[in-house]
Amino acid sequence: MLGAELVARAPADGHTLMICSNTLITLPAMRSDLPFDVFNDFAPVIELGGTPTVITVHPSFPARDLKQFIEVAKQTKAGVNYNSPGIASPPHIAGELFARAAGIPLVHVSYRGTQPAVSDLVAGHVPVMMAPLNAVLQFINDKQLHPIALTDAARSKYLPDVPTLREAGLTNMPPVTSWFAVLTTGGTPPGVVSRLNTEIAKILHDPKVQERLASQTFEIKGGAAEELAKRMRQDAATNAKVVAEAKITAE
């Protein structure tokens, strides 16, 4: 929020940029005291891309596919604990949507960051995680964790054999991914925003940049500023509904 406020209050000349995750667009649904307006104080520039979210279980969890997972969850009256990198993070939102779409009791355990959440999953302290793929891929490859399904719209080239939730049979849930974007100060002239979009797109196509991002399972998106603006508003509406229904509050 501190960084976002600085960008929101900067001169509208395109010289101050922010890389943010889509957690930013969920803040208005959780807090009424934001020192900025997410949709008026920022100018969307370009979506950089994102990393998939994968429903990941510890080997001790008695399920190896979505059908088995749902059956186990329905038999667990107290609910199945799952963790995420933090409150209202995209994996948390994915977990809440998943629970409602599948009609199963899931209990969110919030962590302050991805690393401690993954560590406790690998140790078996928490049975399930809605996990950013880059944080768990090595553990999956080493058979220390098992992937159930991706919450994204399409399969990942890094886990080609793991289906999306829709492919696995859960068709009433919108896809959820962790995406990242570049914003600048609201009111920045359209020509400046367009130039920023063009130059950042060139960077995203640099082979060295692509190689580095690929090593983090980051899937590059790009696209026009208008496409990012549309996505921000659509996802914000979806997330606001989830926040209200799940009574998610900021810590």
Side-chain angles (χ1 to χ4, degrees), residues 175-216:
V176 180
T177 190
S178 296
W179 52 262
F180 298 85
V182 177
L183 310 179
T184 190
T185 308
T188 297
V192 174
V193 172
S194 178
R195 173 70 186 280
L196 286 169
N197 179 282
T198 298
E199 296 301 326
I200 294 172
K202 290 178 183 178
I203 295 170
L204 290 175
H205 284 87
D206 183 286
K208 291 183 179 180
V209 173
Q210 292 185 333
E211 180 181 2
R212 180 59 177 159
L213 293 177
S215 72
Q216 299 296 317

Side-chain angles (χ1 to χ4, degrees), residues 11-226:
D13 56 12
H15 284 225
T16 307
L17 306 178
M18 174 173 68
I19 294 179
C20 68
S21 75
N22 45 331
T23 300
L24 178 73
I25 62 172
T26 309
L27 288 177
M30 298 171 57
R31 304 187 61 142
S32 60
D33 62 342
L34 291 178
F36 48 77
D37 184 312
V38 170
F39 299 103
N40 291 310
D41 290 342
F42 302 102
V45 175
I46 190 170
E47 183 179 343
L48 298 175
T51 186
T53 297
V54 57
I55 303 173
T56 311
V57 301
H58 187 267
S60 62
F61 190 79
R64 288 296 175 269
D65 58 34
L66 181 64
K67 182 180 179 180
Q68 292 175 354
F69 186 101
I70 292 174
E71 289 175 352
V72 170
K74 286 184 175 179
Q75 295 169 7
T76 309
K77 292 183 179 180
V80 174
N81 289 340
Y82 79 95
N83 67 9
S84 80
I87 292 175
S89 63
H92 181 196
I93 296 295
E96 296 294 344
L97 284 168
F98 175 46
R100 283 158 178 71
I104 55 177
L106 296 180
V107 180
H108 181 239
V109 182
S110 179
Y111 278 66
R112 292 186 178 275
T114 301
Q115 174 109 25
V118 173
S119 295
D120 271 11
L121 177 67
V122 173
H125 300 315
V126 180
V128 182
M129 181 176 178
M130 296 291 167
L133 178 57
N134 62 327
V136 294
L137 181 60
Q138 188 58 54
F139 296 108
I140 290 173
N141 291 338
D142 292 341
K143 309 300 182 183
Q144 292 178 269
L145 296 174
H146 182 79
I148 295 291
L150 294 162
T151 68
D152 298 62
R155 294 196 185 200
S156 170
K157 61 184 178 182
Y158 303 101
L159 283 178
D161 297 329
V162 178
T164 65
L165 284 173
R166 181 171 291 274
E167 289 176 327
L170 196 69
T171 59
N172 59 335
M173 173 181 161
V176 180
T177 190
S178 296
W179 52 262
F180 298 85
V182 177
L183 310 179
T184 190
T185 308
T188 297
V192 174
V193 172
S194 178
R195 173 70 186 280
L196 286 169
N197 179 282
T198 298
E199 296 301 326
I200 294 172
K202 290 178 183 178
I203 295 170
L204 290 175
H205 284 87
D206 183 286
K208 291 183 179 180
V209 173
Q210 292 185 333
E211 180 181 2
R212 180 59 177 159
L213 293 177
S215 72
Q216 299 296 317
T217 71
F218 192 91
E219 299 181 356
I220 294 171
K221 177 69 180 294
E226 293 77 14

